[in-house]
């Protein structure tokens, strides 16, 4: 029998520009519009999934913070360039890098690539589909900016310190984790 | 280093009611609404992802059929009952069964469960979240019903013949597949 | 200069089966998928807009109830039949009837029609696109069913008592209201 | 009886920076996420509705161009700043200006405001919610950039020439149009 299906889950790696988070999505009917390609706004949903997965792997519990009334991240600013269209059933890889870590906000760079194949320890990247620079701010329930929880900033700093430490952040739900 | 991230991909299994397709999703911010739980319409998107993944694993190429002008599946009818809410970060398992295979349409039963854990060869199901009965029909580009491609019906019939043959349908992108 | 744009807003009327709420939407790119027609799950979003508009016209303040921690409506059950596809730029009319008013839940029937024209006091209905029977339940923040606020049930009862009283519910934002 | 409901429709006006398109939306449950405010990606859907409405009022028939295989607009680039959150039932006004008209693309500025009231010939603007600069390109079905249809560019030029001519573009479905 096949492996049991696992929820989509990313991992950490080291890229040319330093530590990266990698996340995979597939394009479904829900993502497309009548022009036959993925609707532009849906890349923002994909990028949000990748950011949330990165936080989860860093043991940043957004739901607990939300339920405890501490606050939540809100996108403050985003610039996105669309380079090539994604089509139904395309396998897409999303790379997320932390560009700048502030007291109350984080700047990230996120890039979506079409995948052309998978091999042991290697991803075959196809064309770049879209590239975004995003600033997210932590906001209190009253909507005012608030410093991110200290434990979260520590986790981000550890991640930024290098992917060789990143494996310690691996998720129990991660496919193929020993 | 961790395993490379793979696109969400399901598998086949045998349930009490016969052959099943299993598919996993996670609830993200995009899926929720201000009541704090997953917005009701988004279960239909999750169920569509599961159906599309099942077809892909059966080598049914919806995109090729669409691009060749043969046609596409359209949901003709759906009954859905919401049993319990899904919340942010919940791991959700979707079971899909083919209930009835017609010349131009298929009846399916799809059930979403919260997952409470994963073990070798075992999924720990939590409460049922939603259950749907769906009828999808194959329609020509002009919108008229059309018989499904013969190869597709054969694939469905093989799947219905039993999950012990299902492994032959396993996807190259399937996590953990040898 | 043209009239100022007003938010989409419905009205009450009397149909063959009694009092109705009418709501208009237009199909945009966001609503379609690559098959060229409106994605099936998006009718649920349209129906939710129509229900929320009906409640708003009945002075049922869902946001206040949510913010006060009283609760919110959740869809408990829905059966939907898709009769004909909606396409980009189609003008769609949604009729909503209250079928049954319970202590903690409401059964509604919602039908979407393509519009073929508008005249003074007359809507030209095109083909039916989709028809749904929906049961929504009022739920407390802890997820348990709860009786709907008494004032809300009174408003629904007044509406059910007849559309000739319905005009008293007209919204200040209603286009063309004297 | 109240006025019949009309599909959401905008209008043209003259702003401090010249001719504008105005479009109104309301925030529904579908637009929000668990943080209680409108999900960031949904502003892109609102902005797309406003652009499509502007085109429709200019007699630019996107659907006909799509069905004739001429091509469609695709968002090439967008920068968006989120200034204040929108909440359930908020009435939102979207202003769209054409910033630059090219052979194959258009640069637009779109701003969303909360509305605090409506009066004869006057809109009361509340706080700015989000501001976006968008570049859309016309692309052939094969995905390559293509010059926009000449008639479309003429319509844009007429619009840019001044809102006093804009009334000639008014839609038959426009609320309150004589």
């Amino acid at each position: 029998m096949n492996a049991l299906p696992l929820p989509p889950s990313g991992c950490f790696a080291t890229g040319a520009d330093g530590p990266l988070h990698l996340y995979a999505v597939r394009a479904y009917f829900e993502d497309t519009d009548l022009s036959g390609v993925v609707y532009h706004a849906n890349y923002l949903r994909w990028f949000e999934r990748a950011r949330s997965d990165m936080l989860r792997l860093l043991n940043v519990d957004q739901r607990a913070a939300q339920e405890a009334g501490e606050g939540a991240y809100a996108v403050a600013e985003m610039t996105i360039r669309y380079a090539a269209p994604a089509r139904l059933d395309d396998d897409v890889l999303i790379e997320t890098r932390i560009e700048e870590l502030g007291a109350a906000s984080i700047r990230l760079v996120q890039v979506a690539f079409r995948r052309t194949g998978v091999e042991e320890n290697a991803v075959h990247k196809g064309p770049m589909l879209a590239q975004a620079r995003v600033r997210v701010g932590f906001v209190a329930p009253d909507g005012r900016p608030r410093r991110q929880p200290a434990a979260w900033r520590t986790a981000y700093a550890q991640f930024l310190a290098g992917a060789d430490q990143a494996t310690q952040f691996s998720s129990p739900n991660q496919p193929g984790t020993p």
Side-chain angles (χ1 to χ4, degrees), chain A:
Chain A
M1 174 175 137
N2 298 341
L4 288 169
L6 290 156
S9 197
C11 69
F12 296 101
T14 306
D17 304 322
L20 282 177
H21 173 264
L22 301 177
Y23 186 77
V25 297
R26 179 170 289 127
Y28 291 103
F29 270 89
E30 62 157 328
D31 298 308
T32 62
D33 69 24
L34 66 86
S35 65
V37 300
V38 170
Y39 182 68
H40 70 288
N42 292 337
Y43 288 87
L44 275 65
R45 295 166 42 212
W46 288 354
F47 286 142
E48 182 251 307
R49 291 183 207 171
R51 293 192 304 271
S52 291
D53 183 75
M54 181 180 79
L55 296 186
R56 197 181 51 80
L57 293 181
L58 291 167
N59 301 314
V60 167
D61 189 338
Q62 295 188 91
R63 174 170 157 187
Q66 173 75 31
E67 290 176 350
E70 290 176 50
Y73 283 115
V75 175
E77 192 172 341
M78 174 177 267
T79 298
I80 181 166
R81 287 182 183 70
Y82 298 91
R87 294 193 147 72
L88 184 69
D89 288 337
D90 278 350
D91 288 331
V92 175
L93 183 74
I94 295 169
E95 290 184 350
T96 301
R97 287 191 298 108
I98 293 180
E99 194 178 39
E100 186 185 331
L101 179 57
S105 73
I106 308 176
R107 288 186 185 277
L108 306 106
V109 173
Q110 300 189 277
V111 187
F113 296 92
R114 189 176 304 128
R115 294 170 67 138
T116 56
V118 174
E119 269 176 8
E120 190 60 42
N121 297 327
V123 172
H124 297 276
K125 281 186 199 170
M128 185 177 80
L129 301 172
Q131 178 168 35
R133 299 184 71 247
V134 188
R135 185 166 62 83
V136 298
F138 193 69
V139 292
D142 64 9
R144 280 179 302 192
R146 164 178 287 185
R147 290 177 68 85
Q148 303 163 83
W152 295 10
R153 299 195 60 209
T154 304
Y156 303 143
Q158 283 178 282
F159 165 54
L160 286 169
D164 42 327
Q165 288 141 46
T167 51
Q168 76 191 64
F169 302 126
S170 68
S171 150
N173 281 346
Q174 184 97 17
T177 305

